Amino acid sequence: MDTLVSLSKRRGFVFQSSEIYGGAGSVWDYGPLGVELKSNIKRVWWRDFVQRRPDMVGIDASILMHPTVWKASGHLDHFTDPMVDCRECKLRFRADHVDALPWTHYCPATKGNKFTIPAGEPCSHCGARRTLCPDCGKGELTAPRQFNLMFKTFMGPVEEDASIAYLRPETAQAMFVNFENVLQSMRLKLPFGIAQAGRSFRNEITPGNFIFRTREFEQMEIEYFVNPNDRVDGRPADEHWHDRWIEDCLAWFRRYGLAEDSLRLREHGKDELSHYSKRTVDIDYRFPIGWSELMGIANRTDFDLKQHAKWSGKSLTYFDEERKEHVVPYVVEPAAGLDRALLAFMADAYREEEVRGEKRVVLRFHPELAPVKVAVLPLLKKRDDIVRTARAIRDELARQWRVVYDDTAAIGRLYRRQDEVGTPYCVTVDVQTVGDTDKGESADGKVTIRDRDSMEQIRVPADRLGAVFGDLLGGQNWAEAAARVGRG
Ligand SMILES: [Zn+2]
Ligand SMILES: [Zn+2]
């Protein structure tokens, strides 16, 4: 993880928020390459799950919503962690995490000497167990109190209870609240889904592990509505679609590069399920911190629509034309964290290789996710015609893709730099491309394309680059593309 954090900072993927002021707690900023990577993940997710599917539509709702939304959803009453406070140093801990911390102890058996004792262990001198604050070792802890994880703010000029609003802790509720609007405006038939990608906020008390758990984060959520009375292949429709979504999401992460053996499904036990959930399955990824949740896919039944119908007084039902009956749809919810997905794609892409006795760091991003698609590099920056040609190629390719020009080092070093940020292809312009009139050598108009993963190179007429990258970045593999160029 430290390697990723340092690479992220050094190469402009992720910075600590407000770093010049010492940083802000568990919030991070995406840098020039991070913003490209993140927007590529989001765009590909939207394209695959919304744009290409006839049964999906999207929305983009406000972060601030009517406060009753959070009453109806249960967040006001139940979205809490039990917290204890130290009466001396005022530090606050999650009640269920206190015993997992090493603790400070002033031992009466050794004239009050201070010790730091490993989590859960007694003092080896006096045998005492922790009862006081684990941090300062002096203060008593309060009884546990429920602490709501929503960020609270005020709407309008007056800071009073009537104007309290919350930053949304999840994007899902906007899809339920807009169910009727979307259904009517788009004339949809069940089953259909509403997707949204956007920011959510949770005042986590123990956040951490880089961008894995943060207080401000982006979610990519889908609420997929089905008629619970329908059956598909002899099974209730909600159960059928739940399985389909688990498969589709798993396949999606594999398609864009996550290794098969670093992904697993984890079924929630009965004791772990939310009270409204019929079944929840997590897709876990083997992060640098160990196996952890990448996304969850829950069958939320008709809980949310019924709750919002109750609190709003509006009917949130679907009229089944064939059966001539109103039903409250069940909902299957594939919910993914964008920052977490980005961390997984980065961790999976990271390799340290040895090339001719030298270490090469490479991010083997899927070309669709890579922040930069092509780097155009002049072999000699002293030659005006080479530089001019290289810049013209960059400008032409940049009409379609994120393409950079770099002439600030020797070619070997430029390649390494691009490998380290995961650029799948480099184009070099050399003397043969533009010719050498002094030596009477004519221009061949060809440039070299270098493949990041195999480090193989092919020579291609410069005016065919658009077509070649159209194939390569559109999913054709290197070997096929190289063979085709070879055949002319
Ligand atoms: Zn304390
Ligand atoms: Zn002791």
Side-chain angles (χ1 to χ4, degrees), residues 86 88-91 133 135-139:
C86 171
E88 284 291 322
C89 71
K90 309 296 178 200
L91 272 184
C133 168
D135 197 71
C136 68
K138 291 176 179 164

Side-chain angles (χ1 to χ4, degrees), residues 281-471:
V281 174
D282 285 347
I283 296 180
D284 283 358
Y285 177 71
R286 192 159 44 187
F287 284 95
I289 50 168
W291 286 101
S292 305
E293 182 192 338
L294 178 58
M295 71 174 293
I297 302 138
N299 182 343
R300 298 176 68 114
T301 68
D302 56 7
F303 173 80
D304 304 275
L305 288 178
K306 278 190 168 160
Q307 279 296 105
H308 287 297
K310 180 178 141 197
W311 284 87
S312 68
K314 302 283 190 298
S315 149
L316 299 177
T317 57
Y318 172 85
F319 186 67
D320 183 332
E321 302 276 357
E322 281 155 43
R323 296 194 185 86
K324 302 285 178 223
E325 65 181 10
H326 290 275
V327 291
V328 181
Y330 268 35
V331 65
V332 172
E333 178 189 76
L338 177 51
D339 311 79
R340 233 172 239 203
L342 184 144
L343 181 60
F345 283 122
M346 251 186 121
D348 215 292
Y350 185 87
R351 305 275 196 296
E352 289 177 8
E353 299 172 352
E354 185 150 322
V355 179
R356 289 187 289 277
E358 272 185 55
K359 188 176 115 174
R360 169 171 102 127
V361 171
V362 55
L363 284 174
R364 288 179 174 248
F365 284 131
H366 187 285
E368 293 222 63
L369 304 188
V372 175
K373 311 300 184 195
V374 179
V376 184
L377 316 169
L379 206 61
L380 290 173
K381 70 167 173 177
K382 284 174 295 195
R383 286 271 305 256
D384 279 353
D385 46 355
I386 291 181
V387 168
R388 209 166 42 240
T389 306
R391 285 193 184 277
I393 290 172
R394 191 224 76 99
D395 292 349
E396 180 58 29
L397 295 176
R399 290 152 61 102
Q400 292 190 69
W401 302 288
R402 181 86 181 118
V403 180
V404 297
Y405 169 89
D406 191 4
D407 65 5
T408 57
I411 190 70
R413 179 159 233 203
L414 293 179
Y415 281 153
R416 294 290 175 271
R417 268 189 209 159
Q418 295 302 327
D419 288 343
E420 201 182 36
V421 299
T423 305
Y425 306 106
C426 290
V427 169
T428 46
V429 178
D430 54 27
V431 178
Q432 287 95 307
T433 314
V434 295
D436 194 333
T437 40
D438 293 349
K439 291 184 184 160
E441 289 165 7
S442 59
D444 72 358
K446 289 184 173 179
V447 294
T448 303
I449 304 179
R450 171 193 180 263
D451 174 49
R452 174 195 68 203
D453 295 345
S454 67
M455 291 185 286
E456 287 171 8
Q457 306 192 352
I458 51 174
R459 249 178 116 69
V460 178
D463 57 10
R464 286 193 51 203
L465 281 174
V468 172
F469 284 126
D471 290 344

Side-chain angles (χ1 to χ4, degrees), residues 103 105-110 113 115 117 122-128:
W103 55 289
H105 174 56
Y106 293 91
C107 183
T110 63
N113 281 344
F115 297 99
I117 300 175
C123 170
S124 58
H125 304 284
C126 70

Side-chain angles (χ1 to χ4, degrees), residues 29 47 53 71 87 133 146 162 166 226 321 341 358 448 472:
D29 295 344
R47 181 193 67 197
R53 293 181 62 129
K71 188 72 192 165
R87 294 190 199 276
C133 168
Q146 292 301 325
Y166 301 91
V226 304
E321 302 276 357
E358 272 185 55
T448 303
L472 282 171

Side-chain angles (χ1 to χ4, degrees), residues 228-244 279:
N229 301 326
D230 280 349
R231 296 184 82 80
V232 185
D233 299 336
R235 300 171 63 208
D238 57 307
E239 294 178 13
H240 165 86
W241 282 106
H242 195 190
D243 281 335
R244 277 288 299 277
R279 180 187 172 216

Side-chain angles (χ1 to χ4, degrees), residues 38-241:
K38 191 170 153 194
S39 86
N40 289 345
I41 297 170
K42 198 163 36 171
R43 186 179 43 77
V44 169
W45 179 85
W46 192 268
R47 181 193 67 197
D48 293 351
F49 287 127
V50 183
Q51 196 182 322
R52 286 185 175 167
R53 293 181 62 129
D55 55 347
M56 290 289 305
V57 293
I59 61 167
D60 181 21
S62 290
I63 287 166
L64 295 170
M65 301 178 74
H66 193 286
T68 310
V69 168
W70 309 114
K71 188 72 192 165
S73 70
H75 284 85
L76 262 179
D77 298 323
H78 303 299
F79 194 54
T80 54
D81 277 339
M83 305 301 300
V84 292
D85 294 291
C86 171
R87 294 190 199 276
E88 284 291 322
C89 71
K90 309 296 178 200
L91 272 184
R92 178 170 276 183
F93 307 90
R94 255 180 77 164
D96 50 343
H97 286 180
V98 182
D99 284 327
L101 299 169
W103 55 289
T104 302
H105 174 56
Y106 293 91
C107 183
T110 63
K111 297 178 186 158
N113 281 344
K114 182 182 172 183
F115 297 99
T116 302
I117 300 175
E121 289 182 19
C123 170
S124 58
H125 304 284
C126 70
R129 289 194 168 269
R130 187 201 61 77
T131 52
L132 302 173
C133 168
D135 197 71
C136 68
K138 291 176 179 164
E140 303 231 333
L141 296 176
T142 60
R145 281 180 303 173
Q146 292 301 325
F147 177 83
N148 199 293
L149 298 182
M150 285 195 290
F151 278 94
K152 204 188 261 188
T153 185
F154 299 94
M155 286 236 223
V158 189
E159 295 195 5
E160 56 176 27
D161 283 355
S163 59
I164 287 177
Y166 301 91
L167 303 188
R168 67 181 176 200
E170 60 174 35
T171 57
Q173 297 305 320
M175 276 86 99
F176 303 128
V177 171
N178 280 299
F179 173 77
E180 186 71 10
N181 283 338
V182 173
L183 179 66
Q184 296 310 332
S185 59
M186 304 309 289
R187 303 175 181 280
L188 296 165
K189 293 252 180 291
L190 289 179
F192 71 87
I194 309 177
Q196 177 172 214
R199 286 187 193 249
S200 295
F201 301 80
R202 292 179 189 178
N203 198 5
E204 303 273 3
I205 301 308
T206 46
N209 287 320
F210 193 32
I211 54 172
F212 181 79
R213 192 184 303 283
T214 52
R215 295 199 167 104
E216 175 177 347
F217 53 100
E218 235 173 301
Q219 292 184 296
M220 304 185 293
E221 290 197 294
I222 291 166
E223 306 301 330
Y224 196 76
F225 300 94
V226 304
N227 187 335
N229 301 326
D230 280 349
R231 296 184 82 80
V232 185
D233 299 336
R235 300 171 63 208
D238 57 307
E239 294 178 13
H240 165 86
W241 282 106

